[in-house]
Amino acid sequence: MQTAWVPPFNPWLLAVLVAWSLFWKGLALWRAARSTILLLALCLFPAAPAFAGWTATVTTVDGKTMDLEAAICREGHILVPVRSLAEALRAQVHWDPAGETVTIIKEGNTIKLVTGSREVLRNGERILLDLPAQVVNNRLVAPARFLAEALGAGVDYDLVTQTVRIISAPPEKPERVYNSSFPARVALTNNGRLWLVDGGRAGSAPVQVTADGAVEIVGWSPDGRWLAYLHYDSQDIYSAKPYLWVVKADGTGAFRVDPRPVWDTLDGRVPGWSPKANIIAFSTQGSGGDYARDGNLKIASLEDNGRVTVSELLPDKSGVGHFAWAPDGQSIAVSLPRTRERPLLIDQITLGGKITNLLTDGEPYPPGEYFYTRSATGFRWSPDGRYLAYYLEPGSPSLAADGVDIRVLDVQRPGRPLELGAGLKYPQWLAWSPDSSRLAYMDGYGRDATVDKRLYLADMRSGSITDCGSAGQVDTQPVWSPAEPYHLLFCRGKENVWWDGFKGGVLVPGQRIWQRTDTGDVKSLTSGPADTADYAPKVSPDGQNLLYLRLNRYDSGSLYTKPFAGGRETELIRGLTGGHGYYGNYYPEWVSVYWEEP
């Protein structure tokens, strides 16, 4: 009977792992303590001189400064005008002068306050306030925290800037704000559901595709007729399994592609469309209660009538790791992780099943070795198919989460890959210029995406590497403009170590979309309220328009557009929601765009 191999006990390894675990636990405790300290400071010193002149200029709602001229600080509580705050949170306000009563209505919730009384009715339930609603400068004011939270908003206080930040609750469904036509089909998520918007049809409302569970958007087919997505049968995606689905562009005809759940991980090992045809590559996992992967590679071909044909390129137990389509759509790069029997391999397999080895790295790992390179992940092909950028992933998941080596393989000149540095293993953070001459990537250790991540450029022609970062700033999400001269777009904002201290505001306040020209000039393309952040830049194929997300809280925002060359920004769709991802990476993306022909 064959038994499982168990590594020998190593006290030094144990000490390293324990120290590493204690470091992260200690950091989490300090972050939690910091929020508590700020709250205690506000409560214990309400009468400090700094609060005496407190005015409305330090109250923001969804990143916008409120003109609450009657706001005051009294007995450790901040009181704000009821009508101004309620209407800013999109509630209706009715005043009864006879009974000196105000009624606030929002999404089925009704709140009634009476002047001079601490008693409030919320949906018929009696609540006692710490301070009564009262008239100040001819305005009815009430405690800001009660009002905001009663209307579903979050409240945060910044002791340093003496700013009250009020963040409205995410909308229950998306809303099309711009009713004129725009040349794009948009897939988006809201509260775990999938919605589609046909921008080419003026005034068309968002179409709901899913009604239960949770979704992750895979993306549009090359011809824009189909959208692929992963559907979880539970809102708790960490306990549920994802199944691959496709739906027509109009929101009809949705069906599951394969009866088995697919293999989906944080580093981007997800299904992907061929760049040339309506074919999806994916790998599955067992349907039981565990997360054992099948180690296969499958392709699903969709016909115009919706019929799908699924076939295997590599069978179960092949050990397939990460994979990515080559630019011509005729082959797929596949990572085969190192095992006790084989070294790490990067192979290229055609749709006909022909396999070519691109890289053999090292030897099979011997028993007793703990720190070793296990696999290649995060593949990104250059548009001409010559270069393959990737990450080298160590055998320790904890170490891999804090930064891995970045490499580039020259397929036409096999040999030692180019070493670029180290960063987090997100394929989206590897971006090739359209002419394949330059690779933009994010360099920096630490699993937080909000700290110590700098933009770098590697020139394949000269071999030079340029640090494009800026002191005290954090960079993320690089993309290139499609037309010459090629400009690099990316997100940049002030580093934020304490982003998880407040579960309402954005993670990197003031983050904007920036542009680096081919001459090296850098400028901000977007601007907005200081408590908002811009993400997910997308440039139209003609290079004329920019789409991006503007978040007013960490889990909610709107889709905006503006001319790439400059001009007025326009809010297109409100109510996109999603998670901030693994330590603030914002993957999977909340939105996928298919640009229509102009």
Side-chain angles (χ1 to χ4, degrees):
M1 179 177 177
Q2 190 177 29
T3 59
W5 174 78
V6 178
F9 176 73
N10 187 320
W12 291 106
L13 175 63
L14 179 62
V16 170
L17 294 178
V18 169
W20 191 255
S21 176
L22 289 175
F23 168 77
W24 285 107
K25 288 181 179 179
L27 182 59
L29 288 173
W30 165 241
R31 287 173 169 172
R34 176 180 179 271
S35 299
T36 304
I37 291 169
L38 291 180
L39 180 60
L40 286 173
L42 174 61
C43 295
L44 293 175
F45 303 104
F51 293 100
W54 194 90
T55 66
T57 58
V58 290
T59 300
T60 64
V61 177
D62 292 342
K64 299 178 181 179
T65 300
M66 291 294 297
D67 182 18
L68 304 178
E69 68 279 1
I72 60 171
C73 183
R74 181 168 293 175
E75 299 181 28
H77 296 276
I78 295 171
L79 303 152
V80 296
V82 172
R83 179 178 293 277
S84 297
L85 179 55
E87 291 180 345
L89 292 173
R90 298 188 292 277
Q92 297 178 335
V93 181
H94 303 283
W95 169 249
D96 176 11
E100 294 187 321
T101 302
V102 64
T103 302
I104 306 170
I105 301 174
K106 181 182 181 183
E107 297 174 353
N109 292 317
T110 301
I111 303 165
K112 289 188 176 182
L113 301 95
V114 179
T115 302
S117 174
R118 294 174 57 200
E119 192 174 89
V120 176
L121 287 179
R122 181 181 179 185
N123 297 328
E125 178 186 0
R126 296 183 182 277
I127 300 174
L128 200 62
L129 300 180
D130 292 331
L131 291 178
Q134 52 198 277
V135 175
V136 175
N137 295 333
N138 296 319
R139 305 283 296 276
L140 181 65
V141 299
R145 181 174 294 278
F146 164 78
L147 276 177
E149 292 181 347
L151 294 172
V155 183
D156 180 45
Y157 184 77
D158 188 324
L159 186 63
V160 176
T161 62
Q162 297 179 21
T163 300
V164 176
R165 287 187 292 225
I166 298 173
I167 313 296
S168 63
E172 295 183 355
K173 61 181 181 180
E175 174 190 358
R176 181 168 179 166
V177 180
Y178 183 73
N179 287 316
S180 298
S181 63
F182 57 94
R185 297 177 190 170
V186 178
L188 60 94
T189 58
N190 173 277
N191 294 307
R193 312 292 190 254
L194 176 64
W195 296 74
L196 301 179
V197 176
D198 185 354
R201 294 176 54 203
S204 62
V207 175
Q208 185 172 357
V209 177
T210 63
D212 56 13
V215 297
E216 174 181 341
I217 299 173
V218 173
W220 293 96
S221 63
D223 62 5
R225 300 181 64 178
W226 297 93
L227 179 84
Y229 61 98
L230 303 184
H231 188 213
Y232 299 79
D233 57 10
S234 168
Q235 283 280 342
D236 182 8
I237 63 174
Y238 297 104
S239 62
K241 289 195 173 186
Y243 291 85
L244 178 60
W245 285 68
V246 294
V247 64
K248 292 180 181 179
D250 62 1
T252 65
F255 65 90
R256 191 167 70 181
V257 173
D258 193 283
R260 297 191 205 175
V262 300
W263 184 253
D264 175 28
T265 65
L266 292 171
D267 59 4
R269 192 181 292 118
V270 296
W273 288 101
S274 161
K276 300 295 184 180
N278 291 349
I279 305 175
I280 310 174
F282 62 100
S283 183
T284 60
Q285 60 171 299
S287 57
D290 58 12
Y291 289 86
R293 53 185 311 178
D294 295 328
N296 56 28
L297 179 62
K298 296 182 177 182
I299 57 172
S301 302
L302 273 73
E303 300 178 10
D304 291 344
N305 60 6
R307 181 180 177 182
V308 61
T309 302
V310 177
S311 57
E312 285 186 341
L313 286 183
L314 292 172
D316 290 358
K317 302 185 184 302
S318 295
V320 173
H322 190 72
F323 54 88
W325 286 94
D328 61 5
Q330 298 300 310
S331 62
I332 301 173
V334 178
S335 169
L336 299 174
R338 176 175 287 146
T339 68
R340 291 172 57 189
E341 291 76 32
R342 72 176 180 219
L344 186 160
L345 302 176
I346 299 179
D347 288 343
Q348 188 171 3
I349 181 171
T350 67
L351 297 184
K354 181 182 177 180
I355 299 176
T356 302
N357 178 250
L358 300 180
L359 178 69
T360 299
D361 190 323
E363 304 292 336
Y365 72 81
E369 182 179 341
Y370 298 98
F371 299 101
Y372 62 94
T373 300
R374 178 180 177 273
S375 64
T377 187
F379 291 155
R380 282 293 192 186
W381 285 95
S382 62
D384 62 3
R386 175 171 177 174
Y387 302 105
L388 182 65
Y390 61 96
Y391 300 100
L392 281 178
E393 186 177 37
S396 165
S398 181
L399 293 178
D402 291 307
V404 296
D405 293 338
I406 306 171
R407 299 285 189 268
V408 173
L409 178 64
D410 187 339
V411 176
Q412 295 182 9
R413 296 180 181 178
R416 183 178 178 83
L418 176 64
E419 300 178 6
L420 298 184
L424 300 182
K425 53 178 183 175
Y426 304 129
Q428 300 92 336
W429 286 11
L430 302 173
W432 287 98
S433 61
D435 62 359
S436 301
S437 66
R438 290 167 291 174
L439 175 69
Y441 62 97
M442 300 301 165
D443 186 283
Y445 279 103
R447 61 190 64 184
D448 291 88
T450 61
V451 180
D452 189 33
K453 304 300 177 290
R454 297 171 66 92
L455 175 67
Y456 276 72
L457 272 180
D459 192 311
M460 297 297 107
R461 296 165 297 191
S462 65
S464 64
I465 297 177
T466 304
D467 180 356
C468 305
S470 179
Q473 304 292 305
V474 64
D475 302 328
T476 187
Q477 298 188 339
V479 297
W480 291 85
S481 62
E484 294 186 274
Y486 304 121
H487 301 313
L488 176 62
L489 277 66
F490 58 97
C491 303
R492 171 171 286 175
K494 186 178 180 181
E495 288 184 315
N496 185 11
V497 179
W498 308 110
W499 61 266
D500 64 350
F502 173 48
K503 301 303 183 183
V506 296
L507 307 194
V508 184
Q511 177 175 277
R512 300 297 164 223
I513 310 298
W514 288 69
Q515 171 188 275
R516 188 180 191 276
T517 68
D518 57 343
T519 59
D521 296 327
V522 178
K523 68 175 183 179
S524 175
L525 294 179
T526 63
S527 60
D531 288 347
T532 64
D534 297 340
Y535 283 92
K538 303 179 188 302
V539 184
S540 61
D542 60 7
Q544 299 299 308
N545 294 290
L546 170 67
L547 282 179
Y548 54 97
L549 281 180
R550 171 157 297 162
L551 307 189
N552 63 289
R553 52 182 287 159
Y554 78 98
D555 59 354
S556 178
S558 298
L559 183 67
Y560 277 77
T561 186
K562 69 176 300 182
F564 185 72
R568 184 176 63 88
E569 63 182 13
T570 301
E571 185 180 19
L572 299 177
I573 306 169
R574 182 180 300 151
L576 288 82
T577 73
H580 59 62
Y582 188 69
Y583 282 84
N585 65 3
Y586 275 100
Y587 298 120
E589 288 193 272
W590 309 357
V591 62
S592 180
V593 176
Y594 181 82
W595 296 94
E596 300 277 15
E597 293 290 336

